[in-house]
Amino acid sequence: MKDLFPKNLIARWNEALVSSVRILLATHIYPDGDAVGSLVGLGLFLRQQGFEVSMICPSPYPDFLKFLDKNGEVLFFSHDREQVIRQIAEADVIIAVDVSGFTRMEEMGDLLSASGAFKVLMDHHIDPVEGDFDLVFSTPDVSSTCELIYRVLHSWRPKATLSKEQAIAFLTGIITDTNQFANSIYPETFNVVSALNACGADMEEIFDQVFRNFTYNRMRLMGYALQNIKLLPEFKTGYIVLTRDVLDAFEYKNGDTEGFVNFPLAIQGISVSAFFIQREDHIKVSLRSKGNIAVNGIAKEFFDGGGHFNASAGKMEDKPEKIETLLREALGTIIAL
Ligand code: 5GP
Ligand code: MN
């Protein structure tokens, strides 16, 4: 397998870790499969290497990712505030995964940022906030953070064998971040998948847990979302809005709308998709596109967010009636009428 990073970075990683005892792994708010897969895969691997490891997120992961964290070891700042604060205070090394800096961790990020621990970034988003960290492993030229971490670990400990749990965690991140191998695939991705498969990560087992494990309400909410796709043909765009009353009617739980943003892209002639979901005090916006239409620029400029070329997100004020006007304005800057 090709080394993703130069040997001097691996040497610095080794140097920082061998003089440490407690390692704290942290990821972004509303953690997805790549975030939780990165935490658990790396966390269990480091524990196997003899370190004391803790794993934290600002908010809970969706129920369907629980199978990665069978013993419920990942702590949520929103629920276990005092315990997380203690873990941050005790950490010798902090590793931020699947996030480009501490800001996407909200208040927990401020605490991490203020810590005197050695700070490492492992991520695949653009524009890493290098200044927040002592050591940065970051490139957008991988499928996922899980792939990136696997390749760092392979360069560091080429002879180590991953446990089945570690391999399942990493493979889940790759499968979910690539939209089931539909995008962000690089030649080396399949070598990593092959190695994880050889360590016992079964594709069918993961698909059963992640994609064939819906509650009845979640399936019905999907039906509602599909029935209510709005089209803006002049912008080759389809969008979905889920307001609080609709979410309540389907007893929405965190994670129930995973993947919904992709639905409009399956329609002929549609190249951009937007998904709006009403949260406590704002509307979360997810954007996706096909081909050479960049959505990260409008995520940043119009929705106070950012992300990848074809997959970005952000937020807007809690006023559903303003969605279409704002969306049209944003699309007007990237798609010529
Ligand atoms: P999603 O729609 O799945 O929540 O997010 C898609 C992508 O957008 C994520 O992988 C991440 O790269 C990026 N993203 C999500 N939320 C934010 C945000 O608040 N700020 C920035 N800069 N990027 C985000
Ligand atoms: Mn990711």
Side-chain angles (χ1 to χ4, degrees), residues 28 32 34-35 38 98-99 123-125 143-146 173 177 308:
H28 58 79
D32 57 3
D34 194 28
S38 295
D98 198 41
V99 67
D123 183 45
H124 70 129
H125 295 102
S143 64
S144 55
T145 304
C146 280
D177 254 33
H308 311 274

Side-chain angles (χ1 to χ4, degrees), residues 104 125 284-288 304-308 311-315:
R104 237 181 116 205
H125 295 102
K284 154 94 193 278
V285 186
S286 285
L287 298 163
R288 299 291 187 270
D304 186 27
H308 311 274
S312 325
K315 52 181 174 297

Side-chain angles (χ1 to χ4, degrees), residues 75-316:
L75 297 176
F76 313 129
F77 186 67
S78 53
H79 290 55
D80 311 297
R81 194 184 166 91
E82 296 311 315
Q83 220 178 329
V84 169
I85 290 174
R86 207 170 330 121
Q87 304 286 12
I88 295 174
E90 289 175 354
D92 301 315
V93 173
I94 289 168
I95 306 176
V97 299
D98 198 41
V99 67
S100 59
F102 288 122
T103 51
R104 237 181 116 205
M105 302 187 192
E106 303 202 332
E107 192 190 348
M108 190 183 93
D110 298 337
L111 299 174
L112 288 167
S113 175
S115 152
F118 187 88
K119 300 190 189 89
V120 184
L121 177 66
M122 303 180 98
D123 183 45
H124 70 129
H125 295 102
I126 51 163
D127 300 332
V129 187
E130 308 240 2
D132 280 359
F133 300 93
D134 300 294
L135 179 59
V136 173
F137 293 103
S138 176
T139 168
D141 299 329
V142 284
S143 64
S144 55
T145 304
C146 280
E147 178 187 334
L148 179 145
I149 293 175
Y150 177 86
R151 292 175 65 182
V152 170
L153 296 180
H154 188 266
S155 300
W156 180 45
R157 293 277 185 262
K159 295 210 173 86
T161 309
L162 265 62
S163 69
K164 181 175 174 181
E165 287 71 28
Q166 293 159 26
I168 286 176
F170 288 141
L171 187 52
T172 299
I174 295 174
I175 291 172
T176 53
D177 254 33
T178 60
N179 192 15
Q180 304 169 50
F181 301 112
N183 47 249
S184 322
I185 292 290
Y186 296 81
E188 224 31 35
T189 308
F190 287 113
N191 288 330
V192 175
V193 170
S194 169
L196 294 172
N197 201 236
C199 291
D202 180 45
M203 205 79 85
E204 197 172 342
E205 206 175 309
I206 296 172
F207 270 71
D208 279 345
Q209 293 286 349
V210 178
F211 304 110
R212 298 192 279 257
N213 194 17
F214 282 29
T215 60
Y216 183 51
N217 271 327
R218 183 179 175 191
M219 191 59 105
R220 291 176 58 247
L221 179 61
M222 184 192 276
Y224 176 92
L226 289 167
Q227 291 277 349
N228 287 280
I229 296 173
K230 294 199 173 70
L231 295 184
L232 303 173
E234 65 275 36
F235 291 115
K236 302 184 181 64
T237 296
Y239 73 98
I240 298 169
V241 178
L242 296 181
T243 51
R244 209 166 288 128
D245 54 328
V246 169
L247 296 168
D248 288 346
F250 291 96
E251 293 175 38
Y252 167 81
K253 287 218 289 295
N254 184 18
D256 279 356
T257 57
E258 197 73 33
F260 285 18
V261 63
N262 296 306
F263 296 157
L265 288 182
I267 301 169
Q268 280 179 356
I270 295 300
S271 301
V272 178
S273 136
F275 176 71
F276 298 84
I277 180 168
Q278 209 171 9
R279 293 246 171 95
E280 299 78 42
D281 59 351
H282 66 274
I283 295 171
K284 154 94 193 278
V285 186
S286 285
L287 298 163
R288 299 291 187 270
S289 64
K290 287 198 280 204
N292 67 349
I293 302 174
V295 285
N296 49 0
I298 57 170
K300 190 170 177 189
E301 195 180 333
F302 291 88
F303 300 107
D304 186 27
H308 311 274
F309 194 90
N310 295 122
S312 325
K315 52 181 174 297
M316 59 178 278

